[in-house]
Amino acid sequence: MAKIQMKTPLVEMDGDEMTRIIWKQIKEIVLEPFVDLKTEYFDLGLPHRDETDDQVTIDAANRAAELGVAVKCATITPNAQRMDEYKLKQMWKSPNGTIRAILDGTVFRAPILVKGISPFVSCWKKPITLARHAYGDVYRDTEMYVSDKATAELVVTYEDGHQEVKKIHDFKGPGVIEGMHNLDASIEAFARSCFMYALDIHQDLWFATKDTISKVYDHRFKDIFQEIYDKEFKDRFEEAGITYFYTLIDDAVARVMRSEGGMLWACKNYDGDVMSDMVASACGSLAMMTSVLVSPSGKYEFEAAHGTVTRHYYRYLKGETTSTNPMATLFAWSGALRKRGQLDGLDDLVAFADKLEKASIETIEEGTITGDLNSLLEHPNKRVVNTEEFLRAIAAKLA
Ligand code: NAP
Ligand code: MG
């Protein structure tokens, strides 16, 4: 069988622990037999990040910005315990944070839905993709405890020295205050990433804030989204037959819970923090959650939403075979290959990505699963297999 050819290489970012083991298995078992895989390899495993003083992460992100599509394995974000375990020179920053800062992107997360694993919200038939604005608001706030009778004010001092002052509150006794900010540039980048990705996945975009209460702050988000939509995306949305829908956040929540899913839901930073956990847990398993970072200029980095599955890795090191779920990592690869195929006009590569996803979903629907899905899947004769057996079942289907 002739292998499917690629044109432009993917930026391949290898990672840590159990997902590093799965990474290699995915390539060997389900990709390389069918595709003449072209990648530029960057080893973001913690030992190599430490050796290169984390330069490898920066190089990989810059290369992703140049080539346009990257696929990333889960990586360890070091903490005190990891400093010791890996004898690190420094507590290196989260690679995902570094990459996100360089690509200036937004993270989109969506569950992989299969028949037999029903979302806890019974009307959800299609995946809900959630986009969280990853800058500012309460995550970069300044807070103060007001200990006694006092007047609290917001003071802005411009470069030329002139000031704008607004009263927050005349305190009659103790209380708390909080100052937070956001930036037009960051909200604009978020909006563009969302509009672009909605076109990409061909789904309606929903966005919500509390602009009726927050008449300047949240209203700014609403206005920026609307301006960018009208100027840059309205025609393309109409052509694609999708809509941009703005509503209040409480209305959005109520509507999402009664919907059949299948939309892209853009959230402000805090709403996204809360709602992504709600959507993820309603859909069952972290191992079935995909994640893609999209920059406002249309660069993509695909990955799994879960971490390096440390507990399984320690069992693997003891010589046990583990039944770790490779689905989200597999979908990172299929997502990246599909996007690469679309950008390079390679229809057979796009078709391969579709078939790979279909084969893996069918494998689960036929009852061949990894251990984490055992309590979730309703099936008359389930068979729990290890990761390698699961991948071989998918490869057999593909062949
Ligand atoms: P985790 O790796 O996501 O694993 C948490 C638990 O969830 C696992 O112990 C396992 O439960 C279950 N799980 C997650 N993925 C699974 C899969 N594919 N198949 C089966 N079960 C799965 O999170 P963590 O243990 O909090 O973090 C481990 C490391 O990952 C940390 O060093 C952290 O810094 C890093 N991390 C990286 C990323 C990223 O690169 N994007 C994201 C999050 C965390 P059981 O043990 O009960 O089976
Ligand atoms: Mg959270």
Side-chain angles (χ1 to χ4, degrees), residues 72 74-75 77 82 96 287 303 306-312 325:
K72 180 181 169 291
T75 46
T77 299
R82 299 296 198 170
N96 286 14
E303 60 175 337
H306 61 75
T308 59
V309 210
T310 311
R311 285 212 293 263
H312 293 215
N325 190 335

Side-chain angles (χ1 to χ4, degrees), residues 86-202:
Y86 284 84
K87 308 273 174 283
L88 300 179
K89 294 185 223 164
Q90 247 189 67
M91 202 185 287
W92 306 110
K93 280 193 270 187
S94 148
N96 286 14
T98 303
I99 296 165
R100 197 182 301 150
I102 290 173
L103 293 180
D104 186 21
T106 297
V107 173
F108 298 87
R109 290 195 162 175
I112 304 163
L113 296 188
V114 300
K115 286 192 208 87
I117 302 178
S118 326
F120 293 112
V121 181
S122 56
C123 56
W124 289 359
K125 304 292 176 224
K126 301 176 197 159
I128 294 168
T129 302
L130 208 127
R132 172 182 174 188
H133 186 211
Y135 181 83
D137 300 354
V138 71
Y139 302 87
R140 296 226 181 171
D141 71 353
T142 305
E143 308 185 353
M144 239 190 253
Y145 175 64
V146 179
S147 58
D148 206 347
K149 210 171 161 193
T151 299
E153 294 171 322
L154 279 178
V155 181
V156 176
T157 309
Y158 287 90
E159 264 192 339
D160 67 4
H162 92 274
Q163 290 191 323
E164 277 177 31
V165 182
K166 259 193 181 181
K167 187 190 290 178
I168 298 172
H169 191 65
D170 278 325
F171 282 84
K172 305 277 182 282
V176 281
I177 56 171
E178 170 186 51
M180 58 187 199
H181 78 281
N182 221 299
L183 306 170
D184 279 9
S186 175
I187 303 166
E188 284 163 11
F190 176 55
R192 285 201 178 87
S193 298
C194 290
F195 287 124
M196 194 114 61
Y197 196 61
L199 283 168
D200 238 34
I201 59 173
H202 212 268

Side-chain angles (χ1 to χ4, degrees), residues 265-332:
W265 185 12
C267 289
K268 284 183 64 200
N269 209 348
Y270 174 78
D271 298 336
D273 186 354
V274 178
M275 294 308 157
S276 60
D277 279 0
M278 182 192 75
V279 171
S281 50
C283 290
S285 167
L286 200 57
M288 299 285 277
M289 186 65 70
T290 64
S291 185
V292 54
L293 175 73
V294 181
S295 83
S297 57
K299 316 292 180 196
Y300 294 76
E301 182 241 314
F302 293 85
E303 60 175 337
H306 61 75
T308 59
V309 210
T310 311
R311 285 212 293 263
H312 293 215
Y313 182 59
Y314 292 155
R315 295 213 298 270
Y316 166 87
L317 288 181
K318 282 189 207 148
E320 290 176 39
T321 51
T322 70
S323 181
T324 315
N325 190 335
M327 284 290 279
T329 306
L330 196 59
F331 272 60

Side-chain angles (χ1 to χ4, degrees), residues 4 20 30 42 50 60-61 81-82 89 92 131 146 154 174 224 236 249 252 278 292 299 317 330 351 372 380 391 397:
I4 296 162
R20 187 181 181 93
V30 296
F42 293 84
D50 195 50
Q81 182 253 322
R82 299 296 198 170
K89 294 185 223 164
W92 306 110
V146 179
L154 279 178
I224 286 176
R236 285 154 77 187
I249 182 66
M278 182 192 75
V292 54
K299 316 292 180 196
L317 288 181
L330 196 59
D372 57 309
L391 289 170
K397 230 175 229 306

